[in-house]
């Protein structure tokens, strides 16, 4: 697969308080203001205002559609600091899917990392899904950080900073969305 010079992929560690949009009528800082202005890129999926962590920005519409469409099953992994410490039954509910007004969620991977900290991996992207799931099992989120998007992770990328994907990461991303 040849690399097209006009296509860029940025991995951003989004800080809290920045909106995941290209422009904000309320004048809040946006994720696109944190990366180069040219070429113009767009966020792949969303992180809410208070959620931190990894976000892919690109001008590749095809890969954006593949990553965001649930049929491709691209995993997103989060670390959540929650009120209390979820029981085994609460974790089981997360793993089996949680009932919302708009239907049941797909099963998630849920691991208690330490008391009050849950690693949750999902492949859907419903609005505020991780927060809603943890609320539903009685453990509201106090801090939420996305640590992985498909094959992409980077524990050393400081909040507010970005970098271009490596050739290896681009290939891994292509493989992750190749067929779904």
């Amino acid at each position: 697969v040849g690399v097209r010079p006009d296509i860029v992929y940025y991995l951003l560690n989004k800080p809290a308080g920045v909106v995941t949009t290209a422009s904000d009528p309320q004048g809040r800082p946006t994720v696109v203001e944190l990366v180069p202005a040219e070429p113009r890129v767009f966020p792949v999926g969303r992180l809410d205002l208070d959620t931190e962590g990894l976000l892919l920005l690109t001008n590749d519409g095809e890969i954006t559609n593949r990553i965001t469409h649930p049929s491709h099953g691209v995993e997103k992994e989060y670390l959540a600091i929650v009120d209390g410490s979820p029981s085994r039954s609460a974790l089981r509910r997360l793993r089996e899917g949680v009932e919302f007004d708009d239907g049941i969620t797909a099963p998630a991977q849920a691991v208690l990392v330490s008391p009050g900290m849950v690693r949750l991996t999902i492949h859907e992207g419903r609005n505020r899904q991780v927060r809603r799931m943890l609320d539903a099992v009685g453990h509201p989120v106090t801090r939420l950080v996305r640590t992985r998007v498909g094959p992409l992770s980077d524990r050393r990328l400081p909040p507010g900073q970005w970098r271009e994907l490596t050739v290896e990461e681009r290939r891994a991303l292509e493989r992750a969305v190749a067929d779904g």
Side-chain angles (χ1 to χ4, degrees), residues 79-95:
L79 274 180
I81 309 290
V82 297
D83 286 345
S85 196
S87 64
R88 283 200 287 259
S89 67
L91 294 171
R92 184 172 52 250
R93 282 184 62 201
L94 295 169
R95 290 180 191 126

Side-chain angles (χ1 to χ4, degrees), residues 32-84:
V32 297
E33 294 168 357
L34 298 175
V35 299
E38 294 297 327
R40 188 162 182 204
V41 295
F42 299 93
V44 178
R46 295 183 101 68
L47 291 176
D48 67 40
L49 182 69
D50 297 322
T51 300
E52 306 162 56
L54 298 181
L55 182 68
L56 182 65
L57 293 98
T58 185
N59 56 356
D60 184 339
E62 173 73 19
I63 205 133
T64 297
N65 292 336
R66 288 173 172 258
I67 291 170
T68 55
H69 198 279
S71 69
H72 290 279
V74 176
E75 292 183 342
K76 290 95 178 173
E77 182 181 275
Y78 298 82
L79 274 180
I81 309 290
V82 297
D83 286 345

Side-chain angles (χ1 to χ4, degrees), residues 101-117:
D101 291 342
D102 57 348
I104 193 164
T105 65
Q109 296 172 38
V111 176
L112 189 63
V113 176
S114 62
M117 183 184 288

